[in-house]
PDB file of all heavy atoms in Angstrom:
ATOM      1  N   ALA N   1      33.384-178.829 -44.289  1.00 98.00           N
ATOM      2  CA  ALA N   1      34.537-179.588 -44.786  1.00 98.00           C
ATOM      3  C   ALA N   1      35.396-178.755 -45.726  1.00 98.00           C
ATOM      4  O   ALA N   1      36.611-178.986 -45.841  1.00 98.00           O
ATOM      5  CB  ALA N   1      34.053-180.856 -45.493  1.00 98.00           C
ATOM      6  N   LYS N   2      34.785-177.776 -46.382  1.00 98.00           N
ATOM      7  CA  LYS N   2      35.546-176.919 -47.302  1.00 98.00           C
ATOM      8  C   LYS N   2      36.569-176.066 -46.566  1.00 98.00           C
ATOM      9  O   LYS N   2      37.521-175.563 -47.177  1.00 98.00           O
ATOM     10  CB  LYS N   2      34.586-176.012 -48.073  1.00 98.00           C
ATOM     11  CG  LYS N   2      33.652-176.774 -49.011  1.00 98.00           C
ATOM     12  CD  LYS N   2      32.631-175.846 -49.652  1.00 98.00           C
ATOM     13  CE  LYS N   2      31.647-176.619 -50.519  1.00 98.00           C
ATOM     14  NZ  LYS N   2      30.604-175.728 -51.110  1.00 98.00           N
ATOM     15  N   LYS N   3      36.389-175.919 -45.270  1.00 98.00           N
ATOM     16  CA  LYS N   3      37.333-175.130 -44.473  1.00 98.00           C
ATOM     17  C   LYS N   3      38.492-175.977 -43.921  1.00 98.00           C
ATOM     18  O   LYS N   3      39.408-175.448 -43.301  1.00 98.00           O
ATOM     19  CB  LYS N   3      36.600-174.454 -43.302  1.00 98.00           C
ATOM     20  CG  LYS N   3      35.578-173.411 -43.734  1.00 98.00           C
ATOM     21  CD  LYS N   3      34.903-172.770 -42.544  1.00 98.00           C
ATOM     22  CE  LYS N   3      33.938-171.676 -42.987  1.00 98.00           C
ATOM     23  NZ  LYS N   3      34.673-170.472 -43.482  1.00 98.00           N
ATOM     24  N   ILE N   4      38.434-177.278 -44.147  1.00 98.00           N
ATOM     25  CA  ILE N   4      39.466-178.183 -43.634  1.00 98.00           C
ATOM     26  C   ILE N   4      40.538-178.391 -44.706  1.00 98.00           C
ATOM     27  O   ILE N   4      40.258-178.868 -45.801  1.00 98.00           O
ATOM     28  CB  ILE N   4      38.857-179.539 -43.225  1.00 98.00           C
ATOM     29  CG1 ILE N   4      37.789-179.331 -42.152  1.00 98.00           C
ATOM     30  CG2 ILE N   4      39.969-180.472 -42.741  1.00 98.00           C
ATOM     31  CD1 ILE N   4      38.296-178.682 -40.878  1.00 98.00           C
ATOM     32  N   ARG N   5      41.752-178.017 -44.375  1.00 98.00           N
ATOM     33  CA  ARG N   5      42.879-178.176 -45.290  1.00 98.00           C
ATOM     34  C   ARG N   5      43.727-179.401 -44.956  1.00 98.00           C
ATOM     35  O   ARG N   5      44.367-179.967 -45.841  1.00 98.00           O
ATOM     36  CB  ARG N   5      43.777-176.928 -45.255  1.00 98.00           C
ATOM     37  CG  ARG N   5      43.057-175.647 -45.614  1.00 98.00           C
ATOM     38  CD  ARG N   5      44.023-174.479 -45.726  1.00 98.00           C
ATOM     39  NE  ARG N   5      44.814-174.286 -44.510  1.00 98.00           N
ATOM     40  CZ  ARG N   5      44.388-173.633 -43.438  1.00 98.00           C
ATOM     41  NH1 ARG N   5      43.148-173.128 -43.402  1.00 98.00           N
ATOM     42  NH2 ARG N   5      45.169-173.478 -42.384  1.00 98.00           N
ATOM     43  N   HIS N   6      43.749-179.783 -43.699  1.00 98.00           N
ATOM     44  CA  HIS N   6      44.670-180.846 -43.264  1.00 98.00           C
ATOM     45  C   HIS N   6      43.938-181.877 -42.405  1.00 98.00           C
ATOM     46  O   HIS N   6      43.587-181.604 -41.252  1.00 98.00           O
ATOM     47  CB  HIS N   6      45.837-180.259 -42.465  1.00 98.00           C
ATOM     48  CG  HIS N   6      46.500-179.092 -43.118  1.00 98.00           C
ATOM     49  ND1 HIS N   6      47.017-179.147 -44.390  1.00 98.00           N
ATOM     50  CD2 HIS N   6      46.736-177.825 -42.666  1.00 98.00           C
ATOM     51  CE1 HIS N   6      47.544-177.972 -44.697  1.00 98.00           C
ATOM     52  NE2 HIS N   6      47.387-177.153 -43.675  1.00 98.00           N
ATOM     53  N   ALA N   7      43.739-183.063 -42.958  1.00 98.00           N
ATOM     54  CA  ALA N   7      43.177-184.188 -42.202  1.00 98.00           C
ATOM     55  C   ALA N   7      43.369-185.450 -43.024  1.00 98.00           C
ATOM     56  O   ALA N   7      43.296-185.397 -44.264  1.00 98.00           O
ATOM     57  CB  ALA N   7      41.700-183.963 -41.905  1.00 98.00           C
ATOM     58  N   GLY N   8      43.614-186.562 -42.349  1.00 97.00           N
ATOM     59  CA  GLY N   8      43.767-187.806 -43.087  1.00 97.00           C
ATOM     60  C   GLY N   8      42.474-188.239 -43.727  1.00 97.00           C
ATOM     61  O   GLY N   8      42.417-188.550 -44.918  1.00 97.00           O
ATOM     62  N   ALA N   9      41.396-188.258 -42.952  1.00 98.00           N
ATOM     63  CA  ALA N   9      40.066-188.571 -43.458  1.00 98.00           C
ATOM     64  C   ALA N   9      39.056-187.696 -42.735  1.00 98.00           C
ATOM     65  O   ALA N   9      39.182-187.455 -41.539  1.00 98.00           O
ATOM     66  CB  ALA N   9      39.734-190.046 -43.252  1.00 98.00           C
ATOM     67  N   ILE N  10      38.051-187.229 -43.479  1.00 98.00           N
ATOM     68  CA  ILE N  10      37.025-186.347 -42.919  1.00 98.00           C
ATOM     69  C   ILE N  10      35.697-187.107 -42.914  1.00 98.00           C
ATOM     70  O   ILE N  10      35.210-187.520 -43.980  1.00 98.00           O
ATOM     71  CB  ILE N  10      36.893-185.046 -43.742  1.00 98.00           C
ATOM     72  CG1 ILE N  10      38.261-184.331 -43.821  1.00 98.00           C
ATOM     73  CG2 ILE N  10      35.851-184.131 -43.129  1.00 98.00           C
ATOM     74  CD1 ILE N  10      38.275-183.153 -44.783  1.00 98.00           C
ATOM     75  N   PHE N  11      35.125-187.280 -41.745  1.00 98.00           N
ATOM     76  CA  PHE N  11      33.869-188.002 -41.579  1.00 98.00           C
ATOM     77  C   PHE N  11      32.772-186.958 -41.365  1.00 98.00           C
ATOM     78  O   PHE N  11      32.769-186.264 -40.353  1.00 98.00           O
ATOM     79  CB  PHE N  11      33.961-188.960 -40.383  1.00 98.00           C
ATOM     80  CG  PHE N  11      35.052-189.994 -40.558  1.00 98.00           C
ATOM     81  CD1 PHE N  11      36.384-189.672 -40.294  1.00 98.00           C
ATOM     82  CD2 PHE N  11      34.749-191.275 -40.989  1.00 98.00           C
ATOM     83  CE1 PHE N  11      37.378-190.616 -40.470  1.00 98.00           C
ATOM     84  CE2 PHE N  11      35.749-192.220 -41.161  1.00 98.00           C
ATOM     85  CZ  PHE N  11      37.061-191.889 -40.895  1.00 98.00           C
ATOM     86  N   MET N  12      31.858-186.872 -42.305  1.00 98.00           N
ATOM     87  CA  MET N  12      30.918-185.764 -42.334  1.00 98.00           C
ATOM     88  C   MET N  12      29.529-186.189 -41.863  1.00 98.00           C
ATOM     89  O   MET N  12      28.930-187.120 -42.394  1.00 98.00           O
ATOM     90  CB  MET N  12      30.839-185.194 -43.746  1.00 98.00           C
ATOM     91  CG  MET N  12      32.172-184.630 -44.234  1.00 98.00           C
ATOM     92  SD  MET N  12      32.060-183.884 -45.885  1.00 98.00           S
ATOM     93  CE  MET N  12      31.764-185.344 -46.881  1.00 98.00           C
ATOM     94  N   GLY N  13      29.025-185.488 -40.859  1.00 97.00           N
ATOM     95  CA  GLY N  13      27.674-185.713 -40.389  1.00 97.00           C
ATOM     96  C   GLY N  13      27.590-186.637 -39.194  1.00 97.00           C
ATOM     97  O   GLY N  13      28.458-187.467 -38.950  1.00 97.00           O
ATOM     98  N   ARG N  14      26.493-186.512 -38.449  1.00 96.00           N
ATOM     99  CA  ARG N  14      26.374-187.221 -37.173  1.00 96.00           C
ATOM    100  C   ARG N  14      26.255-188.734 -37.322  1.00 96.00           C
ATOM    101  O   ARG N  14      26.515-189.477 -36.385  1.00 96.00           O
ATOM    102  CB  ARG N  14      25.209-186.657 -36.383  1.00 96.00           C
ATOM    103  CG  ARG N  14      23.846-186.877 -36.998  1.00 96.00           C
ATOM    104  CD  ARG N  14      22.744-186.323 -36.112  1.00 96.00           C
ATOM    105  NE  ARG N  14      22.862-184.872 -35.963  1.00 96.00           N
ATOM    106  CZ  ARG N  14      22.263-183.995 -36.764  1.00 96.00           C
ATOM    107  NH1 ARG N  14      21.513-184.438 -37.776  1.00 96.00           N
ATOM    108  NH2 ARG N  14      22.400-182.707 -36.575  1.00 96.00           N
ATOM    109  N   TYR N  15      25.863-189.213 -38.517  1.00 97.00           N
ATOM    110  CA  TYR N  15      25.708-190.652 -38.688  1.00 97.00           C
ATOM    111  C   TYR N  15      26.992-191.339 -39.171  1.00 97.00           C
ATOM    112  O   TYR N  15      27.023-192.552 -39.323  1.00 97.00           O
ATOM    113  CB  TYR N  15      24.568-190.946 -39.681  1.00 97.00           C
ATOM    114  CG  TYR N  15      23.213-190.658 -39.094  1.00 97.00           C
ATOM    115  CD1 TYR N  15      22.562-189.467 -39.413  1.00 97.00           C
ATOM    116  CD2 TYR N  15      22.601-191.531 -38.208  1.00 97.00           C
ATOM    117  CE1 TYR N  15      21.325-189.159 -38.861  1.00 97.00           C
ATOM    118  CE2 TYR N  15      21.360-191.245 -37.648  1.00 97.00           C
ATOM    119  CZ  TYR N  15      20.727-190.060 -37.986  1.00 97.00           C
ATOM    120  OH  TYR N  15      19.512-189.784 -37.432  1.00 97.00           O
ATOM    121  N   THR N  16      28.041-190.553 -39.401  1.00 97.00           N
ATOM    122  CA  THR N  16      29.277-191.097 -39.962  1.00 97.00           C
ATOM    123  C   THR N  16      30.287-191.334 -38.857  1.00 97.00           C
ATOM    124  O   THR N  16      31.155-190.505 -38.593  1.00 97.00           O
ATOM    125  CB  THR N  16      29.856-190.139 -41.019  1.00 97.00           C
ATOM    126  OG1 THR N  16      28.813-189.716 -41.892  1.00 97.00           O
ATOM    127  CG2 THR N  16      30.940-190.828 -41.839  1.00 97.00           C
ATOM    128  N   SER N  17      30.178-192.477 -38.196  1.00 96.00           N
ATOM    129  CA  SER N  17      31.154-192.795 -37.153  1.00 96.00           C
ATOM    130  C   SER N  17      32.489-193.165 -37.801  1.00 96.00           C
ATOM    131  O   SER N  17      32.528-193.768 -38.875  1.00 96.00           O
ATOM    132  CB  SER N  17      30.656-193.952 -36.280  1.00 96.00           C
ATOM    133  OG  SER N  17      30.640-195.156 -37.011  1.00 96.00           O
ATOM    134  N   GLU N  18      33.552-192.817 -37.136  1.00 96.00           N
ATOM    135  CA  GLU N  18      34.894-193.130 -37.662  1.00 96.00           C
ATOM    136  C   GLU N  18      35.085-194.608 -37.865  1.00 96.00           C
ATOM    137  O   GLU N  18      35.798-195.041 -38.773  1.00 96.00           O
ATOM    138  CB  GLU N  18      35.942-192.552 -36.699  1.00 96.00           C
ATOM    139  CG  GLU N  18      37.379-192.732 -37.142  1.00 96.00           C
ATOM    140  CD  GLU N  18      37.915-194.119 -36.809  1.00 96.00           C
ATOM    141  OE1 GLU N  18      37.441-194.698 -35.823  1.00 96.00           O
ATOM    142  OE2 GLU N  18      38.784-194.618 -37.553  1.00 96.00           O
ATOM    143  N   SER N  19      34.441-195.425 -37.046  1.00 96.00           N
ATOM    144  CA  SER N  19      34.643-196.874 -37.143  1.00 96.00           C
ATOM    145  C   SER N  19      34.156-197.429 -38.489  1.00 96.00           C
ATOM    146  O   SER N  19      34.675-198.455 -38.966  1.00 96.00           O
ATOM    147  CB  SER N  19      33.932-197.592 -35.997  1.00 96.00           C
ATOM    148  OG  SER N  19      32.561-197.271 -35.965  1.00 96.00           O
ATOM    149  N   LEU N  20      33.194-196.772 -39.135  1.00 97.00           N
ATOM    150  CA  LEU N  20      32.764-197.227 -40.458  1.00 97.00           C
ATOM    151  C   LEU N  20      33.906-197.090 -41.457  1.00 97.00           C
ATOM    152  O   LEU N  20      34.070-197.927 -42.353  1.00 97.00           O
ATOM    153  CB  LEU N  20      31.550-196.418 -40.929  1.00 97.00           C
ATOM    154  CG  LEU N  20      30.292-196.494 -40.039  1.00 97.00           C
ATOM    155  CD1 LEU N  20      29.161-195.699 -40.684  1.00 97.00           C
ATOM    156  CD2 LEU N  20      29.879-197.936 -39.812  1.00 97.00           C
ATOM    157  N   GLY N  21      34.684-196.040 -41.302  1.00 96.00           N
ATOM    158  CA  GLY N  21      35.854-195.871 -42.174  1.00 96.00           C
ATOM    159  C   GLY N  21      36.923-196.896 -41.913  1.00 96.00           C
ATOM    160  O   GLY N  21      37.664-197.292 -42.812  1.00 96.00           O
ATOM    161  N   ASP N  22      37.015-197.359 -40.664  1.00 95.00           N
ATOM    162  CA  ASP N  22      38.019-198.372 -40.333  1.00 95.00           C
ATOM    163  C   ASP N  22      37.762-199.676 -41.061  1.00 95.00           C
ATOM    164  O   ASP N  22      38.713-200.424 -41.361  1.00 95.00           O
ATOM    165  CB  ASP N  22      38.002-198.642 -38.821  1.00 95.00           C
ATOM    166  CG  ASP N  22      38.824-197.635 -38.036  1.00 95.00           C
ATOM    167  OD1 ASP N  22      39.595-196.886 -38.660  1.00 95.00           O
ATOM    168  OD2 ASP N  22      38.701-197.603 -36.799  1.00 95.00           O
ATOM    169  N   TYR N  23      36.499-199.978 -41.332  1.00 96.00           N
ATOM    170  CA  TYR N  23      36.164-201.316 -41.806  1.00 96.00           C
ATOM    171  C   TYR N  23      35.565-201.410 -43.203  1.00 96.00           C
ATOM    172  O   TYR N  23      35.971-202.271 -43.980  1.00 96.00           O
ATOM    173  CB  TYR N  23      35.194-201.978 -40.816  1.00 96.00           C
ATOM    174  CG  TYR N  23      35.790-202.182 -39.454  1.00 96.00           C
ATOM    175  CD1 TYR N  23      35.384-201.401 -38.378  1.00 96.00           C
ATOM    176  CD2 TYR N  23      36.786-203.137 -39.244  1.00 96.00           C
ATOM    177  CE1 TYR N  23      35.952-201.567 -37.120  1.00 96.00           C
ATOM    178  CE2 TYR N  23      37.351-203.305 -37.997  1.00 96.00           C
ATOM    179  CZ  TYR N  23      36.934-202.520 -36.937  1.00 96.00           C
ATOM    180  OH  TYR N  23      37.506-202.680 -35.699  1.00 96.00           O
ATOM    181  N   CYS N  24      34.620-200.567 -43.525  1.00 96.00           N
ATOM    182  CA  CYS N  24      33.831-200.915 -44.698  1.00 96.00           C
ATOM    183  C   CYS N  24      33.301-199.764 -45.532  1.00 96.00           C
ATOM    184  O   CYS N  24      32.625-200.007 -46.543  1.00 96.00           O
ATOM    185  CB  CYS N  24      32.667-201.807 -44.286  1.00 96.00           C
ATOM    186  SG  CYS N  24      31.582-201.051 -43.027  1.00 96.00           S
ATOM    187  N   ALA N  25      33.530-198.512 -45.159  1.00 97.00           N
ATOM    188  CA  ALA N  25      32.975-197.415 -45.938  1.00 97.00           C
ATOM    189  C   ALA N  25      33.526-197.423 -47.360  1.00 97.00           C
ATOM    190  O   ALA N  25      32.795-197.236 -48.332  1.00 97.00           O
ATOM    191  CB  ALA N  25      33.261-196.076 -45.265  1.00 97.00           C
ATOM    192  N   GLY N  26      34.837-197.653 -47.482  1.00 97.00           N
ATOM    193  CA  GLY N  26      35.470-197.677 -48.800  1.00 97.00           C
ATOM    194  C   GLY N  26      36.832-197.020 -48.838  1.00 97.00           C
ATOM    195  O   GLY N  26      37.807-197.631 -49.283  1.00 97.00           O
ATOM    196  N   PRO N  27      36.972-195.772 -48.373  1.00 97.00           N
ATOM    197  CA  PRO N  27      38.296-195.139 -48.319  1.00 97.00           C
ATOM    198  C   PRO N  27      39.246-195.882 -47.387  1.00 97.00           C
ATOM    199  O   PRO N  27      38.814-196.647 -46.523  1.00 97.00           O
ATOM    200  CB  PRO N  27      37.983-193.743 -47.774  1.00 97.00           C
ATOM    201  CG  PRO N  27      36.590-193.485 -48.207  1.00 97.00           C
ATOM    202  CD  PRO N  27      35.891-194.809 -48.078  1.00 97.00           C
ATOM    203  N   ASN N  28      40.531-195.656 -47.578  1.00 97.00           N
ATOM    204  CA  ASN N  28      41.534-196.417 -46.846  1.00 97.00           C
ATOM    205  C   ASN N  28      41.651-195.957 -45.407  1.00 97.00           C
ATOM    206  O   ASN N  28      41.511-194.771 -45.094  1.00 97.00           O
ATOM    207  CB  ASN N  28      42.897-196.302 -47.525  1.00 97.00           C
ATOM    208  CG  ASN N  28      43.716-197.567 -47.335  1.00 97.00           C
ATOM    209  OD1 ASN N  28      44.242-197.809 -46.268  1.00 97.00           O
ATOM    210  ND2 ASN N  28      43.772-198.366 -48.378  1.00 97.00           N
TER     211      ASN N  28
END
């Protein structure tokens, strides 16, 4: 992730599905 400069949201690791961010992880 330290190599990523441009992304709206970064989901790290195999258990972090993007859909969790859509609903309830916490970030917008």
Side-chain angles (χ1 to χ4, degrees):
K2 295 175 183 178
K3 294 181 177 288
I4 301 300
R5 301 187 305 278
H6 311 305
I10 304 171
F11 300 80
M12 298 183 292
R14 65 178 63 91
Y15 288 100
T16 314
S17 69
E18 183 279 331
S19 56
L20 300 183
D22 277 347
Y23 297 108
C24 57
N28 211 285

